Amino acid sequence: YKCRLGWEKRPIVYIEYCDLARYANWMHYGCPFTGESVLGTTEGNSILGAYDTSDFELVKSGKKKVYKTFGRRNKGAKFWIPNEDEWYKAAYYDPTIIGNRKYYDYPTRSSNPPTREQSNYVINDSLTVGEPFFVAEVDSFSNSPSYYGTLQQGGNVWEWIESWQYGVVGIRGLRGESWSYTAFGLNACNTDPGGLNDYSYVFGARLCMSYYSEGWSFVDRSFSFQDIYEYVMLLPKSRIILLVIYVLTVSVLTVFMLIIFIKNKICKQK
């Protein structure tokens, strides 16, 4: 890998999800320059590397059916693609917010759409950064970081996430929107779809890096009310509405059945 002239500080584009996983492997191995795509450089298996690439091409070509854990990081990964929760929290969370909801609507530590001085996206049908690059340098807009200090999780390029979009196996999620889209894509409620073979001039990337030398590992803990609340807040509005309707319907039916039960018991006693 090497940078194109003039793009040394600009985000990579035209990258597929599996390409990004292979790049994470390369970073995991310490960026070796061997000139070969083999185990220890860009490839991995269930034990070696950040990602198991052994069936990438089989699934992408349709020779093997896509499965739920396809393209998910290995335990011990030192670099990996953020999942929905990791990306979302890095972008929108702020524990200093007063109130129950500790999340902003936009990744600029605000619930108001960013200005041109805060993010690279379309405002009033006009581009923020024009020709020849259209994308801003990755350390631009340092005046509008998230609580954790991340820059440009809104605008510039769409970023792949490890999670399936809204849990639909086979459709990866993309977060943060690009320079060519409106404020809706920046909003916390939006996750765009991406196919296994999709790439575009507005599709980019962001990786996580492990704080610990032993790499990533799954942390198992019990759910709290706050966890459930945050999960619901991640759902698209259409699903929240359906969830509310479902809860109300179950509640009404439960009350109705309870009334019938009590009436029957009273009748039997008489």
Side-chain angles (χ1 to χ4, degrees), residues 43-65:
E43 306 308 297
N45 56 31
S46 60
I47 300 173
L48 298 174
Y51 288 89
D52 184 353
T53 62
S54 56
D55 59 2
F56 271 17
E57 303 312 314
L58 292 174
V59 172
K60 287 177 61 181
S61 64
K63 293 179 181 179
K64 184 175 182 178
K65 188 177 180 180

Side-chain angles (χ1 to χ4, degrees), residues 4 8 13 17 44 49 52 75 84 120 127 134 164 169 179 185 195 197 203 210 226 230 246 265:
R4 285 179 58 187
E8 291 83 357
V13 292
Y17 180 86
D52 184 353
K75 181 180 179 181
E84 182 96 49
N120 180 24
L127 299 176
F134 297 100
W164 302 112
V169 175
W179 57 267
N197 291 294
F203 286 6
S210 177
Q226 185 66 24
E230 291 179 4
Y246 174 78
K265 195 166 186 179

